[in-house]
Amino acid sequence: MSSEKLRVLTGITTTGTPHLGNYVGAIRPAIAASKSTDFDSFFFLADYHALIKCHEPEQVRQSAREIAATWLALGLDTNNTTFYRQSDVPEIPELTWVLTCVAAKGLMNRAHAYKAAVQANEEEQQDPDFGINMGLFSYPILMAADILAFNAHRVPVGRDQVQHLEMARDIAQRFNHLYGDTFTLPEAQVDDNVAVLKGLDGRKMSKSYGNTIPLFLPPKKMQKAINKIKTNLLEPGEPKDPDTSTVFQIWQAFASEEQTAWMRKQFAEGIAWGQAKKELCALINDELAAARDEYERLMADPGFVDVQLRKGAEKARERAGRLLAKVKTAVGIPPLA
């Protein structure tokens, strides 16, 4: 490992439109890291994962286009990274089946998402497995295959996904024990310094809460969305607490230290909420205007996006194919002579 680059892998589920929280929490730091030559970076659109909860084909298709165009518009260098759709790398679901045959059912029983769904059913006096598909139950195995197909060393995740990384390690260890040293044991990379933005209602900005601000809204629509951010009833001239304000928190995620200090002073002097929201919209627009123009160009030119994804899929298949051949030989189903 000392002579090879650190392999870092990030997946983006193709449900919904990218929002400010995605940008600040995942996309911006990942793209910055991707420009480093110290890492071998893999970024993929997790469209098979999307099928677990979303059964609307057009939504999955559109979301994949929007997310791919977003990453490209924000400066992802596809020559220095491997950028692909999960569904364009058939080695991943093939590896998933092999891993399924060594993964313990008891391990899957303990997955947080599955346990939460069972608990919700029981609280509603339903059958424990009501509405639960095998995609949800087996989700950690597909995630393990996403990671192990490239023997990734690190996977940046939120704390809610750490358990799945530990499961991927467990599955890899079990395979290595049965068939010999094959998989690198991945490590979760949790960055507590990465901002988790609040949404319109003050809770974490999330598609599940319906409180997001889409990333590439045009200025007037962006202002309209920002105006919906929940605030208190303090009047202009009354000092406001920046540390409990969603407006200030989002400002801080886009502002320099000097701009943050300036806005903190405005809060102390009683800036009107309407003015604070107007300043916030201008700040966000300054950072995203050029990328938004590029995003709109890419959405109008899906052929270019497809070429980039196809290029990434070819690189991914070549890498995953070598590993899968080793795996199949290990389990006793090598290529025919």
Side-chain angles (χ1 to χ4, degrees), residues 96-109:
T96 300
W97 177 251
V98 178
L99 298 180
T100 299
C101 295
V102 300
K105 178 178 179 291
L107 187 65
M108 297 301 101
N109 289 342

Side-chain angles (χ1 to χ4, degrees), residues 14-327:
T14 56
T15 52
T17 298
H19 54 74
L20 295 184
N22 298 144
Y23 172 67
V24 169
I27 302 173
R28 187 170 62 183
I31 289 178
S34 77
K35 297 181 187 303
S36 168
T37 55
D38 296 335
F39 303 105
D40 189 4
S41 298
F42 295 79
F43 300 100
F44 70 96
L45 307 179
D47 46 0
Y48 278 142
H49 285 293
L51 302 182
I52 294 170
K53 290 184 178 179
C54 184
H55 301 142
E56 298 292 335
E58 185 49 41
Q59 184 180 335
V60 175
R61 215 169 12 244
Q62 180 67 12
S63 178
R65 283 191 62 199
E66 290 177 357
I67 292 171
T70 295
W71 281 71
L72 293 172
L74 287 165
L76 182 69
D77 182 353
T78 57
N79 293 317
N80 193 43
T81 60
T82 305
F83 184 53
Y84 58 98
R85 284 193 315 178
Q86 184 185 35
S87 59
D88 289 326
V89 185
E91 289 79 5
I92 292 171
E94 190 172 351
L95 178 60
T96 300
W97 177 251
V98 178
L99 298 180
T100 299
C101 295
V102 300
K105 178 178 179 291
L107 187 65
M108 297 301 101
N109 289 342
R110 296 193 290 275
H112 294 323
Y114 171 65
K115 286 174 66 177
V118 169
Q119 183 179 348
N121 282 336
E122 289 173 342
E123 287 172 356
E124 295 175 9
Q125 298 184 322
Q126 295 273 13
D127 180 282
D129 287 326
F130 175 77
I132 298 175
N133 59 44
M134 285 302 296
L136 176 64
F137 185 73
S138 304
Y139 169 90
I141 306 176
L142 177 56
M143 182 170 169
D146 291 327
I147 298 163
L148 300 178
F150 305 101
N151 267 338
H153 298 117
R154 291 186 189 167
V155 184
V157 291
R159 292 207 169 273
D160 60 335
Q161 289 288 324
V162 168
Q163 186 202 40
H164 290 144
L165 253 292
E166 291 171 349
M167 288 180 164
R169 287 175 63 90
D170 287 344
I171 293 168
Q173 283 176 314
R174 177 64 177 162
F175 187 96
N176 289 350
H177 173 73
L178 288 171
Y179 298 110
D181 190 22
T182 306
F183 293 118
T184 298
L185 302 185
E187 295 180 3
Q189 181 177 311
V190 180
D191 188 350
D192 289 323
N193 295 318
V194 170
V196 177
L197 286 196
K198 295 178 183 177
L200 300 176
D201 57 3
R203 294 183 292 176
K204 173 186 173 183
M205 189 177 291
S206 169
K207 292 186 291 283
S208 3
Y209 295 145
N211 65 354
T212 64
I213 300 175
L215 184 59
F216 288 134
L217 288 177
K220 286 185 179 178
K221 289 186 177 179
M222 178 67 76
Q223 185 69 70
K224 191 173 179 181
I226 287 172
N227 288 344
K228 294 177 182 176
I229 295 174
K230 186 178 179 181
T231 54
N232 57 37
L233 299 176
L234 291 174
E235 297 289 336
E238 293 185 88
K240 299 167 178 66
D241 181 6
D243 298 322
T244 59
S245 165
T246 299
V247 173
F248 185 83
Q249 193 230 14
I250 297 176
W251 173 276
Q252 197 169 22
F254 285 86
S256 64
E257 287 185 14
E258 292 76 15
Q259 289 170 320
T260 299
W262 177 80
M263 183 55 82
R264 189 174 285 277
K265 184 171 181 288
Q266 300 307 304
F267 267 63
E269 293 175 356
I271 187 172
W273 286 121
Q275 183 61 31
K277 291 175 179 179
K278 185 177 178 182
E279 298 282 358
L280 176 59
C281 184
L283 179 73
I284 292 172
N285 193 60
D286 283 347
E287 180 161 334
L288 297 178
R292 183 177 60 238
D293 291 344
E294 178 64 6
Y295 171 80
E296 290 171 356
R297 186 189 73 77
L298 291 172
M299 288 299 290
D301 184 12
F304 176 81
V305 176
D306 288 352
V307 166
Q308 299 305 308
L309 290 171
R310 195 174 296 117
K311 178 176 76 173
E314 288 171 3
K315 287 164 64 177
R317 290 200 66 185
E318 193 273 330
R319 296 282 290 272
R322 292 201 307 266
L323 190 281
L324 184 62
K326 184 178 178 182
V327 167

